[in-house]
Amino acid sequence: MTIELRHFRCFLAIAEERNLTRAAASLHLTQPAVSRTLRQLEQQLGVRLVDRSTHHLTLTAQGETFRERAATVVAAADAALDPASLTRPPLRLGHAWSALGAATATLLRRWEREQPGTPLELLRVDDRTAGLLSGRVDAALLRGPVAGEGIVTHFLGTEPRVAAVPTGSALAARMSLTLADLAGEPIAVNSVSGVTSLELWPRQIRPARAVTVANTDDWLAAVAAGRAVGVTSAATAGVHSYPGVAFVPVTDAVPIPLVLAWRRGDAHPATPALARLAREIVRDSGSA
């Protein structure tokens, strides 16, 4: 005789109810059917699982041990047959302002093609870790130094810096700029999620004034209005075209590191695949 899942379910009902009649009622079976199923199980195992020598049904020592195993079998079967378990939860990927730059669409298209069972949700969150520390996302594309206890980072590459200047200005007409060329201007600084501060400039040419904003949209608006100029990653130019703003390469500013980050011990199962794909795309795009 082959032991089937119904045998495990029947025994668990008996162990729970400690009464064959009540176990039968909970399973919508007759009491003789429950007794027969229990007898088949004991014959197959070659041990007694239930002690019927008293007025109250009790489990033998072997029955108590088998109860734990039966519960494991039934739980595994229920999980395997749950339709929701056949689809992985989405991988929520945070970014503060530019995701993977011009390669963002490539990342999304390739992920959908190569990982069809796991949706990739791209979320913009305006904070330094793009929602990672707050738990709003599973992983995040971050730029610049990343601080935070329990954060793991996977280096993807570096991005050159560009200046954001008002169109029509003398700076916008230049093919390239240096930090010294920008030193006499007010500098737009995104204090929440940006990677450029006045400390980027050497002390002897450090700009005198910063215009502080809280997000990329306000940063671009400040530049377009002529209130300030800014320095950012080249990825910003690839994603954020903005009326009144021109982007010009800055030749002497240190590149910006780009990493994929996630929380240690709490990684989505598909995070390693995302890290490999993002690194490959960044490499193929020419970033170092």
Side-chain angles (χ1 to χ4, degrees):
M1 186 198 71
T2 301
I3 296 298
E4 302 172 357
L5 187 60
R6 63 184 177 87
H7 290 87
F8 293 98
R9 293 191 187 279
C10 182
F11 179 74
L12 289 176
I14 294 170
E16 177 68 24
E17 298 292 344
R18 303 295 169 120
N19 180 280
L20 295 181
T21 301
R22 290 197 298 271
S26 70
L27 295 168
H28 304 290
L29 297 173
T30 64
Q31 189 270 333
V34 169
S35 296
R36 183 168 58 252
T37 300
L38 175 60
R39 185 167 61 251
Q40 291 171 344
L41 191 56
E42 290 180 323
Q43 289 173 347
Q44 180 70 21
L45 294 172
V47 297
R48 290 181 61 191
L49 300 175
V50 172
D51 187 354
R52 306 176 185 81
S53 62
T54 64
H55 294 294
H56 300 287
L57 184 151
T58 59
L59 301 183
T60 64
Q62 293 91 340
E64 291 288 355
T65 299
F66 185 73
R67 180 183 187 180
E68 297 178 5
R69 297 179 182 179
T72 300
V73 169
V74 171
D78 288 344
L81 296 173
D82 181 5
S85 68
L86 300 178
T87 301
R88 282 186 174 184
L91 197 168
R92 302 165 300 167
L93 178 60
H95 70 107
W97 29 279
S98 292
L100 210 59
T104 301
T106 300
L107 174 67
L108 296 177
R109 286 195 298 266
R110 286 192 53 183
W111 182 268
E112 185 172 356
R113 184 171 69 247
E114 297 174 20
Q115 303 287 337
T118 304
L120 182 62
E121 297 181 355
L122 189 65
L123 303 173
R124 175 176 164 180
V125 182
D126 286 316
D127 68 46
R128 187 65 192 91
T129 65
L132 189 60
L133 286 182
S134 64
R136 293 181 61 183
V137 300
D138 303 299
L141 291 164
L142 303 176
R143 291 170 171 84
V146 177
E149 185 176 354
I151 290 183
V152 179
T153 59
H154 177 77
F155 179 74
L156 300 177
T158 60
E159 297 171 336
R161 297 189 195 241
V162 298
V165 299
T167 57
S169 68
L171 295 174
R174 299 274 296 275
M175 295 296 295
S176 64
L177 294 167
T178 66
L179 292 174
D181 294 326
L182 303 170
E185 305 290 335
I187 305 299
V189 174
N190 180 346
S191 61
V192 175
S193 59
V195 293
T196 298
S197 68
L198 297 185
E199 282 68 34
L200 176 65
W201 281 258
R203 185 174 300 276
Q204 62 272 24
I205 60 168
R206 188 163 296 169
R209 188 165 70 91
V211 175
T212 302
V213 298
N215 56 61
T216 301
D217 294 329
D218 292 347
W219 183 87
L220 289 165
V223 174
R227 295 176 53 216
V229 301
V231 176
T232 185
S233 163
T236 305
V239 175
H240 294 283
S241 176
Y242 197 93
V245 176
F247 293 98
V248 183
V250 178
T251 58
D252 62 344
V254 293
I256 299 172
L258 172 65
V259 301
L260 180 71
W262 59 90
R263 296 180 299 275
R264 179 178 288 109
D266 189 29
H268 187 286
T271 299
L274 177 63
R276 289 191 298 270
L277 180 59
R279 181 70 184 94
E280 179 182 338
I281 291 173
V282 170
R283 181 197 65 207
D284 293 345
S285 70
S287 296

